[in-house]
Amino acid sequence: MLIERVLQDLYRLEIPLPGSPLKSTNSYVIRSPERNLVIDTGMNREECLSAMVKGLRELSVDLEKTDFFITHMHADHSGLVSALASKGSKIFTSLPDSVMICPVVDTVSGWYKKMTDFALLNGFPEEVLQDALRLHPGFRYSATGPLEFNIVGDKDVIIAGDYTFTCVETPGHTWGHLCLYDKDKKLLVAGDHILNDITPNISVWSDEKNSLKEYLDSLDKIRALEVSLVLPGHRNLIEDCRGRIDELKEHHRQRGGEILSVLQGGPLDAYRVASAMSWDLTYNSWEQFPSPQKWFATGEAVAHLIYLEGEGRVLRKFANGRILFSNRDR
């Protein structure tokens, strides 16, 4: 496991994610005589816990004097918080994502059923769907609850040692994704909002949100800030924040064009659109994709289709129990 000193009293721990294409999660630790702050944790699995405990021990971090900031609800960022937080720990996160960090949420909101019903409407075969959810790391390695959260949002301030962070709401990757920005140090802790050599997965399983539009708007929001160094949730640090934002926006522009080309053949559901798209994975065909990868791919296709619909470039109709999308000009 890598322990890297990034700045004074700020360290990056690489928490391994065995079997995941992401390889590892970056957990950031700020040491302070008063209260330490850990930003994101890794999954709730033994390999992650062992690496985190070892890293914190090497940094002489006392968990009894440590608070936590969770950039977003995905298990590779939030899963371990239930194992690490002490009775005196504060756990900062957004309201939308707080209700999704522990799986007990479904007993309250019915979110799980809403999500699966929407997936079926978008052509996801039921047998593949059940397998995808059974193997999905977000369900298998999430935090256990109940947990008490300190809810924060746009412009709230969190002080950790010599760092004064302002919370920046950046919805898109999740509904309540948050970044942390230290204006004086021109430092951005980006979670999965901006990644370096991979692109954040922008998925949606609901008609309630246009997640891709929110994501692109959030990129513009961050682009307006003066940032010298980005601390992303995975892979390497980023020095050219605006350049990377421009690359991410171009990526999604190209993806939209690819989807419009796919739809030239006629109306398709999102699952079929995803199967015809190009993916940076090592499988030779869509049939070889593991079911969780089909889940991520289809969710991204849905996000782009809803975005293109909002732009007036695709139309939808309901036929034979499915949502079908087509080019407006056909």
Short mmCIF file of all heavy atoms in Angstrom, two decimals, residues 60-108:
data_model
loop_
_atom_site.label_atom_id
_atom_site.label_comp_id
_atom_site.label_asym_id
_atom_site.label_seq_id
_atom_site.Cartn_x
_atom_site.Cartn_y
_atom_site.Cartn_z
N SER A 60 0.51 7.41 12.75
CA SER A 60 0.22 7.69 14.17
C SER A 60 -1.09 8.45 14.34
O SER A 60 -1.19 9.40 15.13
CB SER A 60 1.38 8.50 14.80
OG SER A 60 2.59 7.78 14.72
N VAL A 61 -2.10 8.03 13.59
CA VAL A 61 -3.42 8.66 13.66
C VAL A 61 -4.26 7.93 14.71
O VAL A 61 -4.46 6.71 14.62
CB VAL A 61 -4.12 8.62 12.29
CG1 VAL A 61 -5.59 9.05 12.42
CG2 VAL A 61 -3.39 9.52 11.30
N ASP A 62 -4.75 8.67 15.67
CA ASP A 62 -5.60 8.13 16.72
C ASP A 62 -7.06 8.25 16.27
O ASP A 62 -7.57 9.37 16.11
CB ASP A 62 -5.37 8.92 18.01
CG ASP A 62 -6.19 8.42 19.18
OD1 ASP A 62 -7.00 7.47 19.00
OD2 ASP A 62 -6.05 8.99 20.29
N LEU A 63 -7.73 7.12 16.07
CA LEU A 63 -9.12 7.14 15.60
C LEU A 63 -10.06 7.77 16.61
O LEU A 63 -11.16 8.21 16.24
CB LEU A 63 -9.58 5.72 15.25
CG LEU A 63 -9.01 5.15 13.94
CD1 LEU A 63 -9.40 3.69 13.78
CD2 LEU A 63 -9.46 5.97 12.74
N GLU A 64 -9.67 7.82 17.88
CA GLU A 64 -10.51 8.49 18.87
C GLU A 64 -10.52 10.01 18.68
O GLU A 64 -11.37 10.70 19.22
CB GLU A 64 -10.02 8.15 20.29
CG GLU A 64 -10.14 6.69 20.65
CD GLU A 64 -11.59 6.21 20.69
OE1 GLU A 64 -12.46 7.01 21.11
OE2 GLU A 64 -11.85 5.06 20.31
N LYS A 65 -9.57 10.51 17.89
CA LYS A 65 -9.46 11.94 17.62
C LYS A 65 -9.59 12.22 16.12
O LYS A 65 -8.94 13.13 15.60
CB LYS A 65 -8.12 12.48 18.15
CG LYS A 65 -7.92 12.35 19.64
CD LYS A 65 -6.50 12.70 20.04
CE LYS A 65 -6.08 14.09 19.59
NZ LYS A 65 -4.69 14.42 20.00
N THR A 66 -10.42 11.44 15.46
CA THR A 66 -10.49 11.52 13.99
C THR A 66 -11.93 11.67 13.52
O THR A 66 -12.83 10.94 13.98
CB THR A 66 -9.86 10.26 13.36
OG1 THR A 66 -8.48 10.18 13.75
CG2 THR A 66 -9.94 10.30 11.84
N ASP A 67 -12.14 12.60 12.60
CA ASP A 67 -13.42 12.78 11.93
C ASP A 67 -13.29 12.30 10.49
O ASP A 67 -12.18 12.05 9.99
CB ASP A 67 -13.85 14.25 11.97
CG ASP A 67 -14.05 14.75 13.39
OD1 ASP A 67 -14.58 13.98 14.22
OD2 ASP A 67 -13.66 15.91 13.68
N PHE A 68 -14.44 12.20 9.81
CA PHE A 68 -14.47 11.64 8.46
C PHE A 68 -15.31 12.52 7.53
O PHE A 68 -16.35 13.05 7.93
CB PHE A 68 -15.06 10.22 8.48
CG PHE A 68 -14.24 9.25 9.26
CD1 PHE A 68 -14.39 9.15 10.65
CD2 PHE A 68 -13.27 8.48 8.65
CE1 PHE A 68 -13.60 8.29 11.39
CE2 PHE A 68 -12.48 7.61 9.39
CZ PHE A 68 -12.65 7.51 10.76
N PHE A 69 -14.82 12.66 6.32
CA PHE A 69 -15.59 13.35 5.27
C PHE A 69 -15.78 12.36 4.13
O PHE A 69 -14.80 11.80 3.62
CB PHE A 69 -14.86 14.59 4.77
CG PHE A 69 -15.63 15.36 3.73
CD1 PHE A 69 -16.50 16.37 4.10
CD2 PHE A 69 -15.49 15.06 2.38
CE1 PHE A 69 -17.22 17.08 3.14
CE2 PHE A 69 -16.21 15.76 1.41
CZ PHE A 69 -17.07 16.77 1.79
N ILE A 70 -17.03 12.14 3.75
CA ILE A 70 -17.36 11.21 2.67
C ILE A 70 -17.82 12.02 1.47
O ILE A 70 -18.86 12.69 1.52
CB ILE A 70 -18.47 10.22 3.11
CG1 ILE A 70 -18.05 9.50 4.39
CG2 ILE A 70 -18.78 9.25 1.99
CD1 ILE A 70 -16.78 8.69 4.28
N THR A 71 -17.04 11.97 0.38
CA THR A 71 -17.38 12.78 -0.80
C THR A 71 -18.68 12.31 -1.45
O THR A 71 -19.43 13.13 -1.97
CB THR A 71 -16.26 12.73 -1.85
OG1 THR A 71 -16.05 11.36 -2.27
CG2 THR A 71 -14.96 13.30 -1.30
N HIS A 72 -18.93 11.00 -1.39
CA HIS A 72 -20.18 10.48 -1.97
C HIS A 72 -20.43 9.07 -1.49
O HIS A 72 -19.58 8.44 -0.87
CB HIS A 72 -20.16 10.56 -3.49
CG HIS A 72 -19.11 9.73 -4.16
ND1 HIS A 72 -17.77 10.02 -4.09
CD2 HIS A 72 -19.21 8.61 -4.95
CE1 HIS A 72 -17.08 9.14 -4.79
NE2 HIS A 72 -17.93 8.26 -5.31
N MET A 73 -21.63 8.56 -1.80
CA MET A 73 -22.14 7.37 -1.14
C MET A 73 -21.57 6.05 -1.63
O MET A 73 -21.76 5.03 -0.98
CB MET A 73 -23.68 7.32 -1.28
CG MET A 73 -24.22 7.55 -2.68
SD MET A 73 -24.13 6.17 -3.87
CE MET A 73 -25.25 5.01 -3.15
N HIS A 74 -20.87 6.01 -2.74
CA HIS A 74 -20.42 4.72 -3.27
C HIS A 74 -19.53 3.99 -2.26
O HIS A 74 -18.72 4.61 -1.56
CB HIS A 74 -19.67 4.93 -4.59
CG HIS A 74 -20.58 5.34 -5.71
ND1 HIS A 74 -20.16 6.08 -6.79
CD2 HIS A 74 -21.91 5.11 -5.90
CE1 HIS A 74 -21.18 6.30 -7.60
NE2 HIS A 74 -22.25 5.70 -7.09
N ALA A 75 -19.68 2.68 -2.23
CA ALA A 75 -19.04 1.89 -1.18
C ALA A 75 -17.52 1.97 -1.19
O ALA A 75 -16.89 1.83 -0.14
CB ALA A 75 -19.48 0.43 -1.30
N ASP A 76 -16.91 2.20 -2.35
CA ASP A 76 -15.45 2.31 -2.37
C ASP A 76 -14.96 3.60 -1.72
O ASP A 76 -13.76 3.77 -1.50
CB ASP A 76 -14.90 2.17 -3.80
CG ASP A 76 -15.52 3.16 -4.78
OD1 ASP A 76 -16.71 3.45 -4.66
OD2 ASP A 76 -14.80 3.63 -5.68
N HIS A 77 -15.89 4.50 -1.39
CA HIS A 77 -15.54 5.73 -0.69
C HIS A 77 -16.11 5.79 0.72
O HIS A 77 -15.57 6.50 1.56
CB HIS A 77 -16.02 6.94 -1.49
CG HIS A 77 -15.30 7.10 -2.79
ND1 HIS A 77 -14.29 8.01 -2.98
CD2 HIS A 77 -15.44 6.44 -3.97
CE1 HIS A 77 -13.83 7.90 -4.22
NE2 HIS A 77 -14.51 6.95 -4.83
N SER A 78 -17.18 5.07 0.97
CA SER A 78 -17.88 5.20 2.25
C SER A 78 -17.92 3.92 3.07
O SER A 78 -18.24 3.96 4.26
CB SER A 78 -19.32 5.66 2.00
OG SER A 78 -20.06 4.66 1.31
N GLY A 79 -17.63 2.78 2.46
CA GLY A 79 -17.93 1.49 3.10
C GLY A 79 -17.28 1.27 4.45
O GLY A 79 -17.88 0.68 5.35
N LEU A 80 -16.05 1.74 4.62
CA LEU A 80 -15.31 1.45 5.85
C LEU A 80 -15.63 2.40 7.00
O LEU A 80 -15.17 2.19 8.12
CB LEU A 80 -13.80 1.51 5.59
CG LEU A 80 -13.07 0.21 5.27
CD1 LEU A 80 -11.58 0.46 5.19
CD2 LEU A 80 -13.37 -0.86 6.30
N VAL A 81 -16.40 3.45 6.73
CA VAL A 81 -16.57 4.46 7.79
C VAL A 81 -17.23 3.87 9.03
O VAL A 81 -16.92 4.28 10.16
CB VAL A 81 -17.37 5.68 7.25
CG1 VAL A 81 -18.83 5.33 6.98
CG2 VAL A 81 -17.24 6.86 8.20
N SER A 82 -18.10 2.89 8.85
CA SER A 82 -18.76 2.29 10.00
C SER A 82 -17.78 1.50 10.87
O SER A 82 -17.99 1.35 12.07
CB SER A 82 -19.91 1.38 9.55
OG SER A 82 -19.47 0.45 8.58
N ALA A 83 -16.70 0.99 10.27
CA ALA A 83 -15.70 0.23 11.03
C ALA A 83 -14.65 1.14 11.67
O ALA A 83 -14.01 0.74 12.65
CB ALA A 83 -15.01 -0.78 10.12
N LEU A 84 -14.49 2.35 11.14
CA LEU A 84 -13.41 3.22 11.60
C LEU A 84 -13.88 4.29 12.59
O LEU A 84 -13.11 4.70 13.46
CB LEU A 84 -12.76 3.90 10.39
CG LEU A 84 -12.05 2.99 9.40
CD1 LEU A 84 -11.62 3.79 8.17
CD2 LEU A 84 -10.85 2.30 10.03
N ALA A 85 -15.09 4.78 12.42
CA ALA A 85 -15.55 5.91 13.23
C ALA A 85 -15.70 5.51 14.70
O ALA A 85 -16.23 4.45 15.02
CB ALA A 85 -16.88 6.42 12.69
N SER A 86 -15.21 6.37 15.57
CA SER A 86 -15.38 6.16 17.01
C SER A 86 -16.64 6.86 17.47
O SER A 86 -17.30 7.56 16.70
CB SER A 86 -14.16 6.70 17.76
OG SER A 86 -14.11 8.11 17.66
N LYS A 87 -16.98 6.70 18.74
CA LYS A 87 -18.20 7.34 19.26
C LYS A 87 -18.14 8.86 19.16
O LYS A 87 -19.16 9.52 19.01
CB LYS A 87 -18.42 6.92 20.72
CG LYS A 87 -18.88 5.48 20.87
CD LYS A 87 -19.18 5.15 22.33
CE LYS A 87 -19.69 3.72 22.47
NZ LYS A 87 -20.00 3.38 23.89
N GLY A 88 -16.93 9.41 19.23
CA GLY A 88 -16.79 10.86 19.17
C GLY A 88 -16.56 11.41 17.78
O GLY A 88 -16.43 12.63 17.60
N SER A 89 -16.52 10.54 16.77
CA SER A 89 -16.22 10.98 15.41
C SER A 89 -17.42 11.70 14.78
O SER A 89 -18.56 11.26 14.94
CB SER A 89 -15.85 9.79 14.53
OG SER A 89 -14.67 9.17 14.95
N LYS A 90 -17.13 12.75 14.05
CA LYS A 90 -18.12 13.37 13.18
C LYS A 90 -17.94 12.80 11.77
O LYS A 90 -16.80 12.64 11.30
CB LYS A 90 -17.96 14.88 13.15
CG LYS A 90 -18.29 15.57 14.46
CD LYS A 90 -18.13 17.09 14.33
CE LYS A 90 -18.49 17.78 15.64
NZ LYS A 90 -18.31 19.26 15.55
N ILE A 91 -19.06 12.49 11.12
CA ILE A 91 -19.03 11.97 9.74
C ILE A 91 -19.76 12.98 8.87
O ILE A 91 -20.98 13.12 8.95
CB ILE A 91 -19.69 10.59 9.63
CG1 ILE A 91 -19.08 9.61 10.63
CG2 ILE A 91 -19.57 10.06 8.21
CD1 ILE A 91 -19.81 8.28 10.72
N PHE A 92 -18.99 13.70 8.05
CA PHE A 92 -19.56 14.74 7.20
C PHE A 92 -19.91 14.16 5.83
O PHE A 92 -19.09 13.47 5.21
CB PHE A 92 -18.57 15.89 7.01
CG PHE A 92 -18.15 16.56 8.27
CD1 PHE A 92 -16.94 16.24 8.89
CD2 PHE A 92 -18.95 17.53 8.85
CE1 PHE A 92 -16.54 16.87 10.05
CE2 PHE A 92 -18.56 18.17 10.03
CZ PHE A 92 -17.36 17.83 10.63
N THR A 93 -21.10 14.45 5.34
CA THR A 93 -21.47 14.08 3.98
C THR A 93 -22.71 14.88 3.59
O THR A 93 -23.25 15.63 4.41
CB THR A 93 -21.70 12.57 3.83
OG1 THR A 93 -21.69 12.22 2.44
CG2 THR A 93 -23.02 12.13 4.46
N SER A 94 -23.17 14.72 2.35
CA SER A 94 -24.34 15.46 1.88
C SER A 94 -25.62 14.74 2.28
O SER A 94 -25.63 13.53 2.54
CB SER A 94 -24.30 15.59 0.36
OG SER A 94 -24.53 14.34 -0.26
N LEU A 95 -26.71 15.48 2.29
CA LEU A 95 -28.00 14.87 2.62
C LEU A 95 -28.43 13.84 1.58
O LEU A 95 -28.81 12.72 1.97
CB LEU A 95 -29.07 15.96 2.76
CG LEU A 95 -30.49 15.45 3.07
CD1 LEU A 95 -30.51 14.67 4.39
CD2 LEU A 95 -31.47 16.62 3.14
N PRO A 96 -28.38 14.13 0.27
CA PRO A 96 -28.84 13.11 -0.69
C PRO A 96 -28.07 11.80 -0.58
O PRO A 96 -28.66 10.72 -0.69
CB PRO A 96 -28.61 13.78 -2.06
CG PRO A 96 -28.64 15.23 -1.78
CD PRO A 96 -28.02 15.38 -0.42
N ASP A 97 -26.76 11.87 -0.34
CA ASP A 97 -25.97 10.65 -0.30
C ASP A 97 -26.00 9.98 1.06
O ASP A 97 -25.77 8.77 1.17
CB ASP A 97 -24.53 10.93 -0.72
CG ASP A 97 -24.39 11.01 -2.24
OD1 ASP A 97 -25.41 11.29 -2.91
OD2 ASP A 97 -23.28 10.82 -2.75
N SER A 98 -26.31 10.72 2.12
CA SER A 98 -26.33 10.13 3.46
C SER A 98 -27.35 9.00 3.56
O SER A 98 -27.13 8.02 4.27
CB SER A 98 -26.63 11.20 4.51
OG SER A 98 -27.97 11.67 4.41
N VAL A 99 -28.47 9.15 2.85
CA VAL A 99 -29.53 8.14 2.95
C VAL A 99 -29.22 6.91 2.11
O VAL A 99 -29.99 5.94 2.14
CB VAL A 99 -30.90 8.73 2.56
CG1 VAL A 99 -31.29 9.85 3.50
CG2 VAL A 99 -30.90 9.22 1.11
N MET A 100 -28.11 6.94 1.36
CA MET A 100 -27.76 5.81 0.50
C MET A 100 -26.51 5.07 0.97
O MET A 100 -26.14 4.06 0.38
CB MET A 100 -27.52 6.31 -0.93
CG MET A 100 -28.71 7.04 -1.54
SD MET A 100 -30.17 5.99 -1.63
CE MET A 100 -29.57 4.68 -2.65
N ILE A 101 -25.86 5.56 2.00
CA ILE A 101 -24.58 4.96 2.41
C ILE A 101 -24.78 3.60 3.06
O ILE A 101 -23.96 2.69 2.88
CB ILE A 101 -23.82 5.94 3.33
CG1 ILE A 101 -23.25 7.08 2.49
CG2 ILE A 101 -22.71 5.23 4.10
CD1 ILE A 101 -22.57 8.17 3.29
N CYS A 102 -25.86 3.42 3.80
CA CYS A 102 -26.15 2.13 4.44
C CYS A 102 -27.34 1.48 3.74
O CYS A 102 -28.33 2.16 3.43
CB CYS A 102 -26.45 2.32 5.91
SG CYS A 102 -25.09 3.05 6.85
N PRO A 103 -27.30 0.19 3.49
CA PRO A 103 -28.37 -0.47 2.74
C PRO A 103 -29.72 -0.48 3.42
O PRO A 103 -30.73 -0.77 2.78
CB PRO A 103 -27.84 -1.90 2.55
CG PRO A 103 -26.80 -2.08 3.60
CD PRO A 103 -26.21 -0.73 3.83
N VAL A 104 -29.78 -0.11 4.71
CA VAL A 104 -31.08 -0.08 5.38
C VAL A 104 -32.00 0.97 4.77
O VAL A 104 -33.20 0.99 5.04
CB VAL A 104 -30.93 0.21 6.89
CG1 VAL A 104 -30.24 -0.93 7.60
CG2 VAL A 104 -30.18 1.51 7.12
N VAL A 105 -31.46 1.83 3.91
CA VAL A 105 -32.28 2.87 3.30
C VAL A 105 -33.48 2.29 2.57
O VAL A 105 -34.55 2.90 2.53
CB VAL A 105 -31.43 3.72 2.33
CG1 VAL A 105 -30.90 2.89 1.18
CG2 VAL A 105 -32.24 4.87 1.76
N ASP A 106 -33.31 1.11 1.98
CA ASP A 106 -34.40 0.59 1.14
C ASP A 106 -35.64 0.28 1.96
O ASP A 106 -36.75 0.31 1.43
CB ASP A 106 -33.93 -0.66 0.38
CG ASP A 106 -34.91 -1.05 -0.70
OD1 ASP A 106 -35.15 -0.22 -1.60
OD2 ASP A 106 -35.47 -2.15 -0.64
N THR A 107 -35.47 0.00 3.24
CA THR A 107 -36.64 -0.26 4.07
C THR A 107 -37.44 1.01 4.31
O THR A 107 -38.60 0.95 4.70
CB THR A 107 -36.21 -0.85 5.43
OG1 THR A 107 -35.44 0.13 6.14
CG2 THR A 107 -35.39 -2.11 5.24
N VAL A 108 -36.82 2.16 4.03
CA VAL A 108 -37.48 3.44 4.25
C VAL A 108 -38.02 4.02 2.95
O VAL A 108 -39.16 4.46 2.86
CB VAL A 108 -36.50 4.44 4.91
CG1 VAL A 108 -37.17 5.80 5.08
CG2 VAL A 108 -36.01 3.89 6.24
#
